[in-house]
Amino acid sequence: MNDSPNQKPEQDVLGIQFTLQDMDGLTFTRVIRDIMQDQAFAVPLQVRVMEPRPGVDGQVTLAFLPPDRERASKAVQRLKTILLRYGAQVDHIRMPGEAG
């Protein structure tokens, strides 16, 4: 366990998770490329991804600390715009505090 004073405990991190059902790998790669080039997703926000695989939906999680909630909210709107550009259907968005 790392007790560095500059490192926040993992439980402080919040995340907004998008499940992208039926998105193919090429489209997913394009979405991630656009996200990584967009300043809306810059530090202190983190983008965590799980690429789609046969039988497993792709996921994009926007991770942030509580003080960055407003910035994360704006990034979520930007992510929705990027997904619409590719005709992606967002089947589920899981917000902080929701049961899995």
Side-chain angles (χ1 to χ4, degrees):
M1 180 173 171
N2 187 347
D3 292 326
S4 170
N6 294 329
Q7 186 173 6
K8 296 285 186 190
E10 185 67 27
Q11 68 266 19
D12 286 352
V13 176
L14 302 174
I16 302 169
Q17 184 180 74
F18 289 74
T19 300
L20 307 171
Q21 187 175 12
D22 298 328
M23 181 177 281
D24 64 79
L26 181 58
T27 303
F28 188 81
T29 299
R30 289 176 177 160
V31 167
I32 299 308
R33 178 200 62 210
D34 287 2
I35 289 171
M36 300 314 294
Q37 293 176 352
D38 195 311
Q39 282 300 109
F41 304 97
V43 173
L45 304 179
Q46 292 181 8
V47 177
R48 300 175 182 177
V49 300
M50 185 173 78
E51 64 184 276
R53 300 197 186 286
V56 179
D57 295 330
Q59 293 181 350
V60 175
T61 302
L62 184 59
F64 57 97
L65 295 173
D68 300 315
R69 183 179 292 270
E70 184 176 332
R71 183 173 182 164
S73 178
K74 291 177 183 175
V76 164
Q77 295 307 313
R78 184 70 187 125
L79 179 54
K80 288 178 182 179
T81 300
I82 290 170
L83 292 172
L84 284 173
R85 178 183 307 150
Y86 292 100
Q89 174 68 37
V90 178
D91 293 308
H92 182 73
I93 300 173
R94 189 167 45 169
M95 302 298 285
E98 278 187 10

